[in-house]
Amino acid sequence: MKNKKALCYVALLALMVWCIKGFWSNNTVKVKPLELDQSQQEFQQQVNRDDLLRKEHEISTLKVEMARLKMESSKCGLESKFSPEIPKIYAITPTHYRAVQKAELTRLSHTLMLVPNLHWVVVEDAESKTDLVTKLLAKTGMSYSHLNAATPKSWKPKAKEPRWVKPRGVLQRNTALQWLRDNVSPNEDGVIYFVDDDNSYSLEVFEEMRYLKGVGVWPVGLVGGLMVERPKINAEGKVTGWLTVWSPNRPFAIDMAGFAINLKLFHSKPNGKFSFESEKGYQESELLKHFVGSLNELEVKADNCTKVFVWHTRTEQANLAQEIKLRKENKPRSDIGIEV
Ligand code: UDP
Ligand code: MN
């Protein structure tokens, strides 16, 4: 009897073990393929995600390439901007190397590229033409001439001089004027305008000057310590003087950006150029005295000199404190192999 009971217990135990084992093995048999499916699914999902990312990357690369090609093709359209029936604008830009030069010239070129029939005369203040300016000009697709003329060292500011008191860009502007005398026909219809690399220009200013017969004038914003400097205009629409505070008695108290000269008039006065001897602020007067006999002759532009289409902006010097630190510590500079 006792044996029978023990036998029953053993049988029951065996049954239980068998059941548990069966359940367990069933479970593992069922779970195992499920686990495999899940990881396979996850793997597949990851592959899909990677694929999607790759495709998105390809699409965005193609979009950038498309935009670049569009830009290139719009440059071909620049040729259609060559319209021989309208007078040509010769824009003269002196430029010198500093950290912000490429940024300035890029900004300026993107304005000038929009002006029909404009020839850009860029004069580098450098012993020889630099790669940076050469490549930048070639990339614009514009009509341009690239010159250089280095300002003598004795003219440059001394190490601790905060701002250069001597007139800037004089030699370069004269080099451009000489180039015009030597290379542009005196019979051509056109105008000459001095375009500094750091000023800001509205496209309107170029259309104001295009048909000048002599010398035209207009207001310049943010110059001479004022919001705007401009010619004083009388009821007859003639210039009678200058609305400036700084040195108002200059014969032409006007910034370089505030006038343009007809090309034929320029050619008719072979001595018309800037002078190194002029006092500060007298460069414009020095040049204009060759072309204008009296204020009465000036052509008043920009809606009777009531509109500002050009600003004498100045770019802050780049903060390169960390770059200087790198150099002091003999560490590699940040722009190795990359033109900024
Ligand atoms: N410039 C130059 N060499 C220099 C300094 C200036 O060719 O050593 C150029 C400069 O790039 C700019 C023009 O001359 O196109 C006028 O200089 P800047 O803007 O410094 O003078 P600002 O009229 O603002 O005082
Ligand atoms: Mn400037």
Side-chain angles (χ1 to χ4, degrees):
M1 182 68 194
K2 219 178 177 182
N3 271 353
K4 226 177 169 181
K5 214 174 176 182
L7 211 66
C8 273
Y9 275 129
V10 170
L12 202 66
L13 200 70
L15 189 71
M16 272 171 73
V17 167
W18 182 79
C19 280
I20 289 169
K21 208 180 148 206
F23 174 75
W24 187 252
S25 62
N26 260 1
N27 260 5
T28 45
V29 166
K30 269 185 194 157
V31 162
K32 252 189 186 162
L34 191 73
E35 270 185 347
L36 270 180
D37 274 358
Q38 255 180 11
S39 62
Q40 271 174 345
Q41 271 174 14
E42 276 168 13
F43 178 72
Q44 194 53 48
Q45 278 169 358
Q46 188 56 44
V47 168
N48 290 346
R49 271 199 297 272
D50 288 350
D51 206 35
L52 199 70
L53 275 177
R54 209 173 24 253
K55 281 189 177 132
E56 273 173 3
H57 179 72
E58 268 170 31
I59 289 171
S60 83
T61 310
L62 286 171
K63 274 184 180 164
V64 170
E65 181 63 7
M66 214 161 79
R68 199 187 61 77
L69 287 171
K70 253 189 191 165
M71 197 183 78
E72 289 297 325
S73 72
S74 77
K75 275 187 212 159
C76 301
L78 280 180
E79 271 142 44
S80 70
K81 282 200 177 351
F82 171 69
S83 330
E85 71 285 0
I86 61 169
K88 191 180 277 184
I89 294 169
Y90 286 91
I92 295 175
T93 301
T95 184
H96 70 299
Y97 181 74
R98 68 273 197 209
V100 298
Q101 186 184 27
K102 190 175 181 183
E104 300 284 31
L105 289 175
T106 299
R107 191 165 62 95
L108 179 58
S109 69
H110 289 185
T111 301
L112 300 184
M113 280 159 79
L114 298 171
V115 183
N117 225 17
L118 181 141
H119 183 83
W120 196 12
V121 185
V122 178
V123 191
E124 281 195 75
D125 185 349
E127 294 291 344
S128 55
K129 290 166 202 162
T130 63
D131 266 10
L132 186 148
V133 177
T134 306
K135 283 190 286 175
L136 188 138
L137 288 173
K139 239 171 93 173
T140 62
M142 291 172 65
S143 160
Y144 66 86
S145 298
H146 184 188
L147 314 172
N148 68 290
T151 305
K153 277 221 166 63
S154 56
W155 268 76
K156 292 273 185 182
K158 307 283 168 300
K160 291 215 163 121
E161 255 175 24
R163 251 198 95 71
W164 197 14
V165 284
K166 291 197 170 127
R168 288 167 279 271
V170 176
L171 187 65
Q172 293 69 34
R173 292 190 193 100
N174 275 347
T175 302
L177 292 179
Q178 191 54 51
W179 180 88
L180 288 173
R181 293 197 189 281
D182 297 341
N183 294 278
V184 178
S185 159
N187 302 320
E188 192 179 309
D189 280 333
V191 288
I192 301 170
Y193 185 41
F194 298 100
V195 175
D196 285 356
D197 62 3
D198 55 344
N199 290 344
S200 307
Y201 299 85
S202 161
L203 296 177
E204 289 148 299
V205 78
F206 299 97
E207 298 322 312
E208 291 290 331
M209 71 182 69
R210 197 180 291 280
Y211 292 94
L212 290 174
K213 301 263 175 297
V215 172
V217 289
W218 47 83
V220 178
L222 314 176
V223 71
L226 295 175
M227 284 300 288
V228 58
E229 275 188 357
R230 59 194 167 118
K232 203 185 280 177
I233 310 297
N234 67 12
E236 282 78 51
K238 293 290 179 187
V239 178
T240 59
W242 310 98
L243 295 168
T244 65
V245 176
W246 185 75
S247 198
N249 295 326
R250 288 172 286 165
F252 298 91
I254 191 171
D255 185 77
M256 207 67 77
F259 68 90
I261 305 167
N262 173 282
L263 192 61
K264 284 183 179 138
L265 175 64
F266 168 73
H267 275 298
S268 73
K269 309 285 176 187
N271 295 327
K273 62 177 177 190
F274 295 100
S275 161
F276 279 99
E277 312 308 323
S278 304
E279 266 181 67
K280 189 169 181 258
Y282 278 73
Q283 282 297 336
E284 294 82 355
S285 298
E286 174 64 41
L287 181 77
L288 288 175
K289 76 176 187 203
H290 294 277
F291 305 109
V292 187
S294 80
L295 296 190
N296 213 33
E297 295 169 19
L298 291 169
E299 293 167 45
V300 174
K301 293 288 161 183
D303 218 349
N304 233 14
C305 285
T306 60
K307 299 265 162 54
V308 175
F309 295 140
V310 56
W311 297 262
H312 183 260
T313 44
R314 272 171 155 175
T315 304
E316 200 184 327
Q317 270 197 4
N319 174 358
L320 295 171
Q322 297 303 332
E323 198 71 55
I324 292 163
K325 213 168 143 218
L326 286 179
R327 278 174 220 179
K328 275 190 186 148
E329 291 166 2
N330 263 334
K331 291 185 180 154
R333 38 194 297 169
S334 71
D335 59 346
I336 290 177
I338 177 166
E339 185 183 87
V340 184

